[in-house]
Amino acid sequence: MKLQTLSTNKSHGGVQGVYSHASAETGTEMAFSVFVPDHAPGAKLPVLWYLSGLTCTHANVTEKGEYRAACAEHGIIFVAPDTSPRGDDVPDDDGYDFGKGAGFYVDATKEPWAKNFRMRSYLESELPELVAASFPVDMARQGITGHSMGGHGALTISLRNPGRFRSTSAFSPIVSPLNCSWGEKALGGYIGTDRDDWRQYDACALIADGARLPDLLVDQGTADNFLGEQLKTHLLEQAVADAGISATIRMQDGYDHSYYFISTFLVEHVGWHAQRLKA
């Protein structure tokens, strides 16, 4: 897989880059950003994956996340992929919550989405292989986090791949697509109407079906206008309590769904992951 460098900038002693490659999974050109902190020659560093939310690209967290100083301090590589395939030939929808920018981190099985919308396989297989071959990462020390739809992606990818990630966190995650209109539209459209097929993409259902995490950190703003109808944090609180999963789920007073909220707590999340990735 040939990697093309779109841009590089020095930041906090390291390099913030944006790259692209031709994806075999999505059949499109895919862009992603990587921050590599300064490090000793030959050193391998832990990696933290960040999955973005609806309508976003890699650029949102790269430009607004304020994570680089913390990653430089802790010696962590930060990777931010896109949220969906893109291109003139990729099918789309008029709504912001389906199609381009709304891949929901699933492998679509329904037409016309099945050809390109393979974000699960892209993130669980193809992109990690490319990152491992191109950057100084220690793939035995991976963490994953994300926001909103990306929080859903981080939780479900980690739950489906036990032992791959030493640490998992999320910001304002969609915790149960089975129980919100965003999830019903996305999963129904991408993989069909059989709700049993949806369970592999629902964090609460995966936990109920036996999937486990060693630890979990979630931050959710109380002023988030999507909290009641789409995010439903209380369902995750109940799921982890029933399963006996060690989890810190914090309701942050007055914070909304924006990057003002994410950037406030992302440094703390990086430090939380660092403790587990360096152990």
Side-chain angles (χ1 to χ4, degrees):
M1 292 180 285
K2 186 177 180 181
L3 188 67
Q4 180 181 0
T5 300
L6 301 182
S7 67
T8 57
N9 296 91
K10 185 170 182 177
S11 180
H12 295 278
V15 176
Q16 176 65 68
V18 178
Y19 309 91
S20 70
H21 71 108
S23 168
E25 288 292 350
T26 68
T28 67
E29 196 77 9
M30 295 294 291
F32 62 100
S33 75
V34 181
F35 175 71
V36 180
D38 188 29
H39 59 282
K44 295 285 189 178
L45 307 179
V47 57
L48 178 58
W49 301 86
Y50 178 94
L51 307 186
S52 292
L54 286 167
T55 75
C56 292
T57 70
H58 66 278
N60 296 76
V61 70
T62 304
E63 297 169 2
K64 302 176 184 178
E66 302 178 20
Y67 55 85
R68 278 171 286 269
C71 287
E73 176 186 353
H74 295 292
I76 293 176
I77 291 174
F78 191 97
V79 180
D82 204 344
T83 52
S84 78
R86 299 180 191 272
D88 293 340
D89 296 331
V90 175
D92 201 7
D93 183 83
D94 290 337
Y96 74 94
D97 53 355
F98 195 69
K100 294 179 188 178
F104 257 83
Y105 305 103
V106 307
D107 279 354
T109 58
K110 296 299 182 182
E111 298 300 337
W113 316 102
K115 177 182 177 181
N116 304 116
F117 282 75
R118 296 185 51 80
M119 292 303 294
R120 172 180 178 174
S121 292
Y122 177 69
L123 287 171
E124 291 186 351
S125 299
E126 185 177 21
L127 186 59
E129 291 176 8
L130 178 60
V131 167
S134 307
F135 300 94
V137 296
D138 178 358
M139 296 299 280
R141 294 186 290 161
Q142 298 185 68
I144 190 166
T145 188
H147 170 234
S148 194
M149 180 184 72
H152 140 77
L155 293 174
T156 55
I157 289 172
S158 187
L159 285 162
R160 286 194 307 263
N161 293 274
R164 176 180 292 192
F165 301 98
R166 291 192 184 184
S167 53
T168 305
S169 75
F171 298 86
S172 313
I174 304 169
V175 305
S176 184
L178 278 158
N179 291 288
C180 70
S181 60
W182 279 345
E184 290 175 350
K185 181 177 181 178
L187 299 184
Y190 291 135
I191 63 177
T193 57
D194 188 342
R195 293 174 70 90
D196 285 342
D197 293 339
W198 300 7
R199 297 184 70 83
Q200 63 189 309
Y201 298 116
D202 184 297
C204 293
L206 285 165
I207 292 169
D209 291 345
R212 295 291 181 265
L213 296 171
D215 199 2
L216 176 64
L217 173 63
V218 173
D219 277 313
Q220 170 65 58
T222 62
D224 189 325
N225 59 317
F226 300 116
L227 176 57
E229 294 298 320
Q230 305 289 357
L231 308 178
K232 301 189 176 182
T233 309
H234 67 281
L235 297 179
L236 181 63
E237 290 176 315
Q238 187 62 57
V240 296
D242 290 345
I245 294 174
S246 174
T248 301
I249 300 176
R250 307 186 299 194
M251 302 303 295
Q252 301 290 3
D253 187 47
Y255 285 92
D256 59 18
H257 201 68
S258 72
Y259 269 88
Y260 294 109
F261 162 61
I262 298 166
S263 64
T264 300
F265 297 100
L266 186 50
V267 167
E268 187 176 348
H269 278 238
V270 171
W272 183 88
H273 284 275
Q275 291 178 341
R276 289 148 181 84
L277 294 175
K278 292 182 178 181

